[in-house]
């Protein structure tokens, strides 16, 4: 079903996993865009679809090689390995630049999304009444999500499970940022900061032979939240992939039109010129998360001042983002040749 990959192809697939992992972590950016533009979106969805009852039967019966081949293991393992490495390396670097040069990072992402809209649209020759209406629906939904106000934090386990299902959409639906959705649901800090930190601290203590965390009720509760969130994410990843594979098979043109509209609408989320709004207490003092950082609740967008050099540097980085996407296009064409 899947073509044989050269070493160079495997290396680039790992790099794409790095990019996908970094994109998934940033509110407003979707790892699904990376998959769509880099040309492995359909293979990604169809591979995830293979994680089904038949796959579990192969796994339980001890037929590990058959299981690995059935789920397209060589592809998924390289991609997921890239995402994991990204989380502990590239995404940390991204955090640093977001803190020091936030405007330029958002500008580069804005350019990449502009480039992705061009990339997806340029060869789409199936515009008709149905696809135009579908594209407009995607556009309206994308814009609407951009301007929603976030909810309050909620640690109810059933809600955490739903957060896992919804947040994983960033990997499977191009243009929909799972991290941004978690901000809207009010649980970004709880699930992607506090829970991950609790897991990291627990592993560090276990390596030192320290098991005192078992008596720490707050830590155990946070780890339980992370476990439920992970279960929800896995459930969402598999169930969404089955739904999307069906949609891609029978409604491919309409789905592509919706994605084009949705990505265009999501440009508002990554608009570079915005003021960050932080969570505050009753008298206006900023509230801090477990890392001592201010908690982001939303963004206030504005039009840039064209008379300052910073604006033009931001425009330059938008151009860099577009070039990155055009480079992916060039690589894809050469690979086909």
């Amino acid at each position: 079903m899947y073509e044989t990959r050269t070493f160079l192809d495997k290396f680039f697939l790992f790099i794409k996993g790095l990019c996908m992992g970094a994109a998934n972590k940033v509110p407003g950016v979707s790892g699904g865009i990376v998959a769509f533009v880099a040309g492995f979106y359909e293979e990604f969805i169809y591979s995830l679809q293979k994680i089904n009852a038949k796959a579990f039967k192969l796994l339980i019966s001890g037929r590990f090689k058959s299981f690995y081949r059935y789920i397209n293991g060589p592809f998924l393992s390289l991609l997921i390995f890239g995402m994991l490495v990204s989380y502990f390396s590239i995404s940390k670097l991204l955090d640093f630049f977001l803190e020091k040069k936030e405007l330029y990072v958002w500008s580069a992402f804005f350019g990449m999304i502009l480039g992705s809209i061009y990339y997806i649209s340029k060869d789409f020759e199936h515009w008709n009444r149905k696809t135009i209406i579908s594209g407009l629906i995607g556009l309206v939904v994308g814009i609407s999500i951009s301007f929603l106000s976030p909810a309050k934090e909620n640690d109810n386990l059933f809600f955490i499970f739903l957060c896992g299902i919804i947040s994983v959409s960033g990997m499977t639906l191009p243009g929909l940022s799972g991290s941004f959705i978690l901000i809207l649901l009010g649980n970004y800090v709880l699930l992607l900061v506090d829970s991950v930190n609790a897991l990291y601290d627990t592993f560090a203590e276990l390596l030192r032979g320290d098991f005192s965390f078992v008596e720490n009720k707050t830590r155990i509760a946070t780890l339980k939240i992370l476990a439920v969130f992970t279960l929800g994410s896995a459930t969402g990843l598999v169930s969404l992939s089955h739904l999307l594979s069906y949609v891609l098979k029978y409604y491919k043109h309409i789905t592509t039109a919706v994605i084009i509209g949705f990505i265009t609408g999501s440009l508002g989320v990554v608009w570079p010129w915005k003021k960050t709004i932080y969570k505050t207490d009753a008298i206006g003092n900023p509230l801090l998360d477990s890392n001592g950082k201010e908690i982001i609740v939303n963004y206030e967008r504005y039009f840039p001042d064209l008379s300052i050099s910073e604006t033009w540097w931001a425009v330059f980085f938008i151009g860099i983002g577009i070039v990155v996407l055009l480079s992916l296009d060039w690589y894809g064409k050469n690979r086909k040749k």
Side-chain angles (χ1 to χ4, degrees), residues 44-304:
F44 179 57
I45 295 301
Y46 288 130
S47 298
L48 289 174
Q49 186 197 13
K50 290 292 184 179
I51 302 173
N52 51 28
K54 183 178 178 180
F56 283 112
K57 284 179 183 176
L58 290 171
L59 188 63
I60 292 167
S61 62
R63 297 170 61 188
F64 301 116
K65 285 186 178 179
S66 297
F67 167 78
Y68 191 67
R69 284 197 302 269
Y70 180 73
I71 65 167
N72 196 19
F75 168 81
L76 282 179
S77 56
L78 273 172
L79 200 61
I80 292 170
F81 179 59
M83 290 182 204
L84 290 173
V85 171
S86 170
Y87 192 82
F88 295 103
S89 57
I90 302 295
S91 61
K92 296 291 182 186
L93 187 65
L94 199 58
D95 287 344
F96 171 80
F97 282 112
L98 275 169
E99 188 176 333
K100 301 294 182 183
K101 299 289 181 182
E102 185 179 16
L103 175 63
Y104 301 150
V105 173
W106 284 118
S107 297
F109 279 127
F110 188 79
M112 289 176 72
I113 293 177
L114 276 178
S116 70
I117 293 167
Y118 164 76
Y119 178 92
I120 299 167
S121 305
K122 66 183 176 65
D123 296 323
F124 187 68
E125 300 174 347
H126 305 280
W127 290 113
N128 52 46
R129 195 173 76 171
K130 284 184 178 179
T131 54
I132 289 172
I133 291 172
S134 301
L136 288 173
I137 290 171
L139 178 67
V140 170
V141 173
I143 293 172
S144 300
I145 288 174
S146 301
F147 294 96
L148 286 174
S149 297
K152 292 181 179 179
E153 186 173 288
N154 186 341
D155 61 359
N156 177 275
L157 291 181
F158 179 71
F159 184 71
I160 295 295
F161 183 79
L162 289 178
C163 283
I165 293 175
I166 296 167
S167 70
V168 83
S169 59
M171 285 176 64
T172 51
L173 294 171
L176 186 60
S177 166
S179 297
F180 187 71
I181 293 296
L182 284 180
I183 286 179
L184 293 178
L185 293 172
N187 276 359
Y188 178 80
V189 173
L190 175 65
L191 298 173
L192 294 188
V193 179
D194 294 346
S195 297
V196 174
N197 287 339
L199 181 65
Y200 178 84
D201 291 341
T202 301
F203 276 131
E205 289 169 9
L206 285 172
L207 289 172
R208 295 196 303 267
D210 181 1
F211 295 90
S212 61
F213 71 90
V214 295
E215 296 177 5
N216 185 332
K217 291 183 179 179
T218 303
R219 176 81 64 81
I220 295 298
T222 307
L223 290 174
K224 188 186 293 182
I225 284 171
L226 182 61
V228 173
F229 176 67
T230 303
L231 182 61
S233 297
T235 303
L237 199 60
V238 174
S239 56
L240 271 175
S241 65
H242 280 76
L243 175 63
L244 285 170
S245 64
Y246 175 83
V247 170
L248 283 168
K249 185 175 181 180
Y250 295 102
Y251 305 99
K252 186 173 182 178
H253 300 323
I254 288 175
T255 304
T256 304
V258 171
I259 288 171
I260 291 170
F262 195 87
I263 294 174
T264 305
S266 73
L267 281 170
V269 180
V270 288
W271 177 251
W273 295 277
K274 56 193 170 192
K275 179 184 176 184
T276 307
I277 302 171
Y278 296 102
K279 193 173 186 178
T280 58
D281 59 19
I283 57 174
N285 294 319
L287 297 174
L288 306 178
D289 62 27
S290 60
N291 285 337
K293 294 182 179 179
E294 295 173 317
I295 301 170
I296 299 171
V297 294
N298 217 323
Y299 301 96
E300 182 182 317
R301 297 159 187 86
Y302 62 90
F303 193 76

Side-chain angles (χ1 to χ4, degrees), residues 3-5 9 16 330-337:
E3 73 272 26
T4 302
R5 287 185 164 87
D9 290 334
K16 290 170 186 176
W330 175 84
Y331 167 73
K333 286 178 179 176
N334 278 270
R335 186 172 179 274
K336 285 177 182 177
K337 288 178 184 178

